[in-house]
Amino acid sequence: MDMDKFLQWMELAKKYQSSNFWSEIFDQSSFDEFMKNNDFARTETTQAGDMTQQSNFPPTDIYVTDGEVILILDIAGYMKEEIQLSVSGTRLLIKGFNNRVIPGELVQQERFHGEFERVIQLPEPAYPNQIKAKFNNGLLIVSYKRQFIHEEHVPIE
């Protein structure tokens, strides 16, 4: 936790240290104010067409089956040559960049363009040589075989 977030948390905790704790904690207006003042996975538009990266881009689903772990990442608008993957234990790093220019005036932008980087926590460790990645129709499907399928008994001395 970084210091700024910690200080924000301390300030919020002090606010609720009163005799009306329960009535204030459930006050919707203070919750709305807290969410508005903090950056919880939202994208801000600074100027038309200038979107900042969401911390959860690309959106990712993770599935665990009996034999493998499967990740599905939604990266529409990018080509596979513009995407890089790397893995270290239980951390998957995905990076990408596109610089598409579409002629005309941008009136509304909801899709993310440009450079992104995200670290995804994997449910189980993976080795780079065991990961398979396939890019098709804007979806990146990453899979690897599970290493720890069976529980093993550990004797206690």
Side-chain angles (χ1 to χ4, degrees):
M1 177 183 278
D2 67 11
M3 188 54 91
D4 290 335
K5 292 290 182 185
F6 179 73
L7 292 173
Q8 287 176 353
W9 181 84
M10 289 297 292
E11 185 178 314
L12 183 67
K14 284 180 187 177
K15 179 179 176 182
Y16 291 111
Q17 288 181 345
S18 69
S19 60
N20 297 329
F21 174 79
W22 290 111
S23 62
E24 288 182 14
I25 198 75
F26 292 114
D27 178 22
Q28 186 65 37
S29 64
S30 64
F31 175 76
D32 292 340
E33 179 183 332
F34 177 76
M35 292 302 285
K36 185 177 81 175
N37 292 333
N38 292 284
D39 229 7
F40 292 103
R42 75 175 180 215
T43 300
E44 296 179 7
T45 303
T46 53
Q47 295 177 3
D50 183 19
M51 293 182 71
T52 58
Q53 176 191 340
Q54 289 184 348
S55 61
N56 61 349
F57 182 85
T60 304
D61 295 336
I62 302 175
Y63 299 91
V64 178
T65 68
D66 289 340
E68 66 181 343
V69 176
I70 304 165
L71 291 85
I72 302 174
L73 299 93
D74 188 354
I75 315 177
Y78 289 79
M79 296 174 21
K80 72 177 185 176
E81 296 80 18
E82 299 168 332
I83 301 168
Q84 296 177 349
L85 284 176
S86 60
V87 68
S88 176
T90 59
R91 295 169 46 103
L92 178 74
L93 172 65
I94 179 165
K95 294 181 181 182
F97 180 80
N98 79 15
N99 198 7
R100 307 253 188 316
V101 177
I102 299 174
E105 179 184 354
L106 180 62
V107 177
Q108 176 178 332
Q109 182 176 6
E110 296 179 351
R111 300 177 359 174
F112 179 78
H113 296 271
E115 188 173 356
F116 70 88
E117 182 174 314
R118 181 177 181 189
V119 175
I120 298 169
Q121 188 68 34
L122 299 173
E124 295 181 5
Y127 297 103
N129 61 346
Q130 296 176 339
I131 292 181
K132 295 178 186 172
K134 184 176 182 178
F135 190 71
N136 189 18
N137 291 330
L139 293 178
L140 178 63
I141 300 171
V142 178
S143 63
Y144 62 96
K145 294 206 181 295
R146 295 181 66 189
Q147 301 296 314
F148 307 100
I149 298 174
H150 304 289
E151 291 183 21
E152 294 185 27
H153 178 72
V154 177
I156 303 173
E157 294 181 21

